[in-house]
Amino acid sequence: MFDSPLSASAYEVLGVAATVGDEELRRAYRLQLRRTHPDTGGDASVFIQVQRAWELVGTPELRAAYDRGHGFSDDDEPWDGWRAPTARTDTRPRAKAYGEAGGSRRRLYVAQVHAWAGSEVADPYDPAFVRTIPREVRRVLANALAEEHTARTVADLGMGFTAWHDVAVPAGAAAPDTLDHIVLGPSGLYGLMSADFGEIARFRQGEVIGSGTGSRAPVTALVTQVRTIARAARVRFGGAVLVLPDDDLAQAMTPLGAIRGTTVVVVRRSALGTLLRAGVPGSRTIGGTELFDLRTRIQQTVRFA
């Protein structure tokens, strides 16, 4: 929360301008607590957001740090929260990875920013600027960040896992042209979509619904991508996983059952590592020569966006 280009700022949650004085900010916080408290008919999820907002700006010191990091300050100190990740410096063993997580979406984001604002944009990742651009353009950046977050989680699974990021779906498939991630490990072979809808996910008949999905049917798209790549590589996936921000999913994991023969699970970001280590429910473990064979087939088949 508050770290996504689609999130309301702490000030927006508290219902005030970023320029209000500390005492007015405190009054707004108390008012919002009363308005949103579940005991008085308020929404529990909004009540929690109000509390989290206050934790970020509730003291002058916290507020100054928040303002610097979210573009509400005149301080020129750079902020790297939405910029492309830098090269890793630690030496811990990581999962083997191919492709560039979020790369195609970042390029699309910059292109759309320039199309909307012109080519003279000094910094397309400046948080003050990002707040001014259309929501659909911000959504592209939010999904790029979501892909990068998933890639970091997969990397931390260790050397027993292999990941392919930003995988091109074969031409002619009735699906979006990239599958965000393929992950192979002892627990199984999985296709992953990383998304940020900017709202709590709701489900109907095995699909995510709501204004945040736009015209997309994300689960249908994910299953189609997985099935298309499975046919091309002559492999069988153990499941399809939709990864969402923690605040956008009511519980750690929401199984959606088998859709067109593919087991689908929606999972919070913080629970993804646990799921991939244990395996999607109903999947089978993979080892020895089979693991090597699957890795070889995928490596020979995949192309990147």
Side-chain angles (χ1 to χ4, degrees), residues 152-274:
R152 291 194 294 271
T153 298
V154 173
D156 287 339
L157 293 175
M159 294 185 295
F161 287 80
T162 305
W164 294 264
H165 304 299
D166 221 5
V167 176
V169 176
D177 58 0
T178 60
L179 173 60
D180 296 345
H181 322 271
I182 297 174
V183 178
L184 172 65
S187 68
L189 173 66
Y190 307 108
L192 279 62
M193 175 186 289
S194 302
D196 183 347
F197 301 131
E199 62 185 23
I200 296 175
R202 295 180 292 119
F203 303 95
R204 179 187 298 159
Q205 298 179 341
E207 186 56 87
V208 182
I209 61 172
S211 60
T213 63
S215 60
R216 298 183 69 191
V219 173
T220 301
L222 173 59
V223 169
T224 302
Q225 292 167 344
V226 167
R227 288 168 58 86
T228 301
I229 292 176
R231 287 194 299 269
R234 295 177 292 112
V235 299
R236 183 174 181 177
F237 282 78
V241 182
L242 174 60
V243 188
L244 299 180
D246 282 16
D247 289 324
D248 291 359
L249 197 59
Q251 53 192 14
M253 187 177 71
T254 301
L256 298 183
I259 299 175
R260 295 171 62 194
T262 301
T263 301
V264 180
V265 174
V266 186
V267 65
R268 285 177 175 171
R269 287 176 179 173
S270 62
L272 176 62
T274 300

Side-chain angles (χ1 to χ4, degrees), residues 109-124 129-130 132-134 137:
Y109 168 71
V110 172
Q112 290 186 350
V113 164
H114 288 159
W116 178 75
S119 59
E120 302 303 318
V121 176
D123 182 2
F129 170 75
V130 171
T132 69
I133 63 181
V137 180

Side-chain angles (χ1 to χ4, degrees), residues 68 73-79:
R68 284 195 301 273
S73 170
D74 293 331
D75 195 321
D76 291 331
E77 180 180 338
W79 185 67

Side-chain angles (χ1 to χ4, degrees), residues 161 187 190 273-281 283 285:
F161 287 80
S187 68
Y190 307 108
T274 300
L275 175 67
L276 292 176
R277 286 191 177 95
V280 166
S283 62
T285 58

Side-chain angles (χ1 to χ4, degrees), residues 70-92:
H70 292 77
F72 294 106
S73 170
D74 293 331
D75 195 321
D76 291 331
E77 180 180 338
W79 185 67
D80 294 329
W82 293 339
R83 302 179 197 283
T86 57
R88 54 173 294 214
T89 57
D90 64 273
T91 57
R92 291 178 297 165

